[in-house]
Amino acid sequence: VLDRFLAEDVTDIILEDPERYLQLGGEIRPVTVLFADIRGFTRFTEMHSAEQVITTLNRIFQNLSKMVFKHRCTFDKYLGDGFMAFYGAPIARDDDARRAIDTAVEMQLLFRNLREETGAEMENLGLGIGLHSGEAVVGNIGSEKVMDYTVVGDVVNVAKRLQEQASSGQILLSLETYQLAHEEVKAEPLEPIQVIGRREPIAAYLIQVAGA
């Protein structure tokens, strides 16, 4: 079951100490949160049958989720035509922010290839991605019968807002994420982005994947 959410090596570590990782509760950890959302999907659902919608959505998610596990990320949840994942918990690594950016870039390239392979079926669809790094509460939230290993805090809200601002083919990363990985990342600084729910605008950087 854990292998459906985590890379296999992370699963092994969790099972070595289940009392720590599989109980209700949380701890403050530095993390990088990734939100990805399919652009143009609402219109797509209006023009296609329910069976076609589900088939296309599953094809996209099946391929994109491979990038999550490839880069040792923790999958959080599907959100309609998007999903959330995070880096830094339960296992933290020095290159969490860089791996998050690598994941986002490879997702954009993969989505571009999927669109080319399917032709007219996905020609009006795109992918927008947002990334933010910071401290958050990470742990199992819910009840003993139903719990969700997730991230809670402002870092999640900012990542989601950046994703909402990202157009098709774009990756928007916060200043915090950029600073953690900037020596190895080529990104264009943007004018600060004002988003709903925050007094101060968000300093952000753009990675535009060609053709995505």
Side-chain angles (χ1 to χ4, degrees), residues 45-63:
T45 61
E46 295 175 354
M47 301 175 62
H48 296 80
S49 67
E51 183 178 1
Q52 288 175 307
V53 169
I54 293 300
T55 298
T56 299
L57 196 59
N58 285 338
R59 179 187 297 119
I60 293 171
F61 282 160
Q62 182 176 4
N63 283 275

Side-chain angles (χ1 to χ4, degrees), residues 7-161:
E8 291 182 3
D9 59 341
V10 177
T11 297
D12 292 339
I13 294 174
I14 291 175
L15 293 179
E16 289 176 1
D17 191 3
E19 289 299 320
R20 175 183 178 186
Y21 293 114
L22 299 180
Q23 301 298 318
L24 284 174
E27 57 184 340
I28 296 177
R29 300 278 292 270
V31 297
T32 295
V33 178
L34 180 154
F35 277 94
D37 187 77
I38 303 172
R39 298 291 181 253
F41 200 74
T42 299
R43 178 62 174 164
F44 182 86
T45 61
E46 295 175 354
M47 301 175 62
H48 296 80
S49 67
E51 183 178 1
Q52 288 175 307
V53 169
I54 293 300
T55 298
T56 299
L57 196 59
N58 285 338
R59 179 187 297 119
I60 293 171
F61 282 160
Q62 182 176 4
N63 283 275
L64 295 184
S65 64
K66 293 177 182 178
M67 298 299 101
V68 170
F69 296 109
K70 174 184 175 181
H71 291 283
R72 300 297 185 263
C73 177
T74 300
F75 182 86
D76 193 309
K77 61 177 68 72
Y78 290 112
L79 301 162
D81 56 357
F83 65 86
M84 169 185 170
F86 57 91
Y87 302 72
I91 308 302
R93 295 180 172 87
D94 293 338
D95 62 343
D96 283 331
R98 175 55 198 266
R99 286 185 295 107
I101 295 172
D102 288 344
T103 303
V105 171
E106 290 191 30
M107 282 182 177
Q108 289 288 10
L109 294 173
L110 181 59
F111 197 94
R112 181 187 66 187
N113 293 338
L114 281 174
R115 194 169 53 207
E116 291 175 352
E117 292 172 2
T118 57
E121 180 183 346
M122 290 178 54
E123 64 179 352
N124 295 318
L125 299 180
L127 190 68
I129 300 176
L131 298 169
H132 180 47
S133 304
E135 288 193 338
V137 177
V138 184
N140 293 305
I141 297 173
S143 67
E144 294 294 343
K145 289 184 68 68
V146 181
M147 65 178 68
D148 183 17
Y149 187 75
T150 190
V151 181
V152 177
D154 188 58
V155 63
V156 178
N157 298 330
V158 172
K160 185 68 168 65
R161 295 294 180 261

